[in-house]
Amino acid sequence: MPSVTLPDGKQLEVKPGTRARDVVESIGPRLARDAVVAKLGGEVVDLEAPIDGGGLFEVLTKDSPEGLEVLRHSTAHAMAQAIMELFPGSKLTLGPPIENGFFYDVEVEGRITDEELPRIEERMREIAARDLPVTREEISKGEAERLYEDNPYKREIIAGLEDGDITVYRQGEFFDLCRGPHVQSTGRLGAFKLQNIAGAYWRGDEKNTMLTRVYGTAWPTEKELKAYLRRLEEARARDHRKIGKDLDLFTFSPDVGGGIPLFLPKGEMLRHLMEGYVRDVQTRHGYDHVWTGHLVNESLYEKSGHLEHYVDSMFPPMVEGETRYRLKPMNCPSHMTLFNSRAHSYRDLPLRYAEFATLYRYEKSGELNGLTRVRSLTQDDAHVFCTEDQVQEEFARALEIVREVLDTYGFNEYRVQLSMRDPDDSKYIADEQKWARAEQELREALDAAGIDYDEEAGEAAFYGPKADFMAKDVLGREWQLSTIQVDFLQPLRLGCEYVGEDNKEHTPVLLHRAVTGSTERFLGVLIEHYAGAFPVWLSPVQAVVIPVADRHNDYAREVSRRLGEAGIRVEVDDAQSSMQKKIRENARQKIPYLLIVGDNEAEAGTVNVRRRGEKQQEELDVGTFVEAVLEQVRSRE
RNA sequence: GCCCGGGUAGCUCAGAGGUAGAGCAGCCGCCUUGUAAGCGGCCGGUCGGGGGUUCGAUUCCCUCUCCGGGCUCCA
């Protein structure tokens, strides 16, 4: 008799006709209640699937990643059913589970607006209450095509499937072409909520029809759903656009143009401190800083290949006679031109050019988003010209800078995505050998540094592979921040050369790297990461002196003068309002230190220190306080 | 660029086919304060722009613009 192996190693014999749920029930009734799907020999299957032996048998509950995914997928089906019932004649397309939830793209008969979401949600609950059995059915390609006679989207999907490999899931009147698996019945869904409506092109191609996408979230329990919604709420409260406004950091104005952030004094102070910090680290690691302006003759981008690959992302040219200028969208060609401005010996290498460069990229208007997607940005870009033998070492050096900087900002957790070329895609400059070598160099360098990475085909830059650093912020959200790229192709195109030990001319290898990416975007991420409460070294205003009454203004100014002379960014709040109100307002501005001074402090030459986020105060000698703050700034804690 | 939603005072928001509201901020005055909003007064708006329907539009319709949520791309 055939048998399956349970996770504890026990063998279980299965009679012909046994289904997964029978096996689960034989293990235990409690498990049977929690089971969503099963996994047989590594493949996730329905509980109704027949089991005729064949390897490891595992039970997946809503709490397992796969079980949760199934739950979300089934919730998407319930939503699709609700939409079909409420908007008859609509055409379903795709409805997959995604992180935290699901969506379904539908060509709706009529229109779904936000007001409709509660209605759809209610109908979904009704469908769940009906507890319709969910059944799987294998059908032939011909049957599938007939079933979807008037649905061109599903027919397109069917066309790409193998006959004999097509399944339909049914629940009540509703059916959907679907690979599955799914929960046993609509009564076994968890807690869900529909979130928003969006447009989405069929197959993500803007030449295709725009479909209506409805997003929802689904969780095993009401409690988990609530917790997730709370997390979303918290993320909203941290939105850098909101905090940027509240803390007077930056603004946007249609008078200047969309996607062009304007920095107020405090925002500019942050930029200044962030860039100064990276500049110091780079200088310590032997990078030299350069400056290459804002306009570049277009012909340079023709030579480098950027014009061909990125013309859509460049602002239109400015024409002067025969010459066409472009706002600089990237620095590599300018830095290579710097390299070419003089002859080089192998003794000059590696040569490391870094620049905080203002770049202009034409992002489509709908793409702009606060500081994270802008049209004018400042990249902390660097290009290292080196010999092939030096690639490993220079990569390691760049890596060290990245690690040091990310660590300082408290991004302790990150993963690396190694983006490789898709050999079949023509957008990549062809040179089999050089690509292979560049990809190998990157792998070896990451291995040598002991860093884990995932490889992703088709994500590389047109000139070479890249290692992108995806860092997690305090809310666990991932951001792509740093990048290191190996380029064997552009230096050749732009004729970069050095004379080697052999007295012959060689083409250097070019390493591109950015640590914070763009100052604007990184600042946006930092604002959300810190929720506006920047560490002391980075705070635009580090301390505010608050006099208890007007008669303490002179002493407050005296304290402020001493702090200012020590290099601390300090202000006196001498507005005509109560001390309590000043504390409230400055606390809301996330000032690290509020220094209350009244009769006692003026008498003793001290300040009463109220630390950000703490109610407990401490009275300190002014000199002691200054030293403590300076130490915090020095250590960037 | 495309789909959906929005734009009312500097900010957060209420309102409704018939003379536009609140709180905060700002300004003036009183108070002189001991750890998260002291009190009173005043100022403040082409209800995003343009067009249409109407006796009358900020409200209904069209259009443009800007903002937001998505789709797509990212050197």
Side-chain angles (χ1 to χ4, degrees), chain A residues 194-232:
Chain A
L194 299 190
Q195 292 169 295
N196 51 319
I197 306 204
Y201 298 104
W202 169 239
R203 302 256 153 157
D205 189 334
E206 57 185 301
K207 287 193 274 299
N208 291 339
T209 327
M210 172 76 63
L211 305 166
T212 302
R213 174 173 296 184
V214 185
Y215 281 99
T217 183
W219 299 85
T221 63
E222 210 50 58
K223 198 173 149 192
E224 283 158 286
L225 173 66
K226 289 257 163 60
Y228 173 68
L229 295 176
R230 256 200 309 280
R231 282 205 301 282
L232 283 187

Side-chain angles (χ1 to χ4, degrees), chain A residues 408 537 628-637:
Chain A
T408 296
W537 73 271
V629 173
L630 292 183
E631 179 46 36
Q632 264 188 313
V633 171
R634 262 193 299 275
S635 65
R636 291 202 173 84
E637 73 181 41

Side-chain angles (χ1 to χ4, degrees), chain A residues 126-192:
Chain A
E126 227 176 282
I127 289 167
R130 286 182 222 158
D131 198 16
L132 304 165
V134 178
T135 58
R136 172 191 168 98
E137 197 177 311
E138 286 178 21
I139 60 173
S140 71
K141 204 161 182 168
E143 285 173 293
E145 278 159 1
R146 272 194 299 285
L147 203 53
Y148 283 110
E149 225 164 39
D150 51 3
N151 184 329
Y153 309 103
K154 290 290 188 188
R155 277 213 315 282
E156 195 179 315
I157 300 171
I158 293 164
L161 298 175
E162 293 290 320
D163 203 353
D165 197 25
I166 298 176
T167 53
V168 163
Y169 276 78
R170 289 182 187 275
Q171 53 199 49
E173 299 287 296
F174 175 83
F175 62 90
D176 195 8
L177 177 80
C178 184
R179 189 186 307 124
H182 280 284
V183 299
Q184 264 183 306
S185 71
T186 58
R188 308 196 73 161
L189 299 176
F192 52 81

Side-chain angles (χ1 to χ4, degrees), chain A residues 482-554:
Chain A
S482 320
T483 182
I484 308 178
Q485 313 176 0
V486 181
D487 182 359
F488 282 89
L489 295 166
Q490 284 197 78
L492 192 66
R493 291 192 141 206
L494 291 194
C496 298
E497 280 174 350
Y498 67 92
V499 177
E501 253 176 300
D502 54 5
N503 202 28
K504 288 189 185 134
E505 294 189 326
H506 299 270
T507 303
V509 180
L510 184 61
L511 238 61
H512 306 241
R513 43 107 287 186
V515 184
T516 58
S518 93
T519 302
E520 291 76 7
R521 196 181 118 87
F522 196 77
L523 176 58
V525 173
L526 280 187
I527 289 170
E528 304 201 0
H529 182 58
Y530 293 127
F534 299 103
V536 174
W537 73 271
L538 199 55
S539 288
V541 177
Q542 295 166 314
V544 171
V545 188
I546 298 176
V548 171
D550 283 354
R551 66 176 180 281
H552 308 116
N553 282 356
D554 283 344

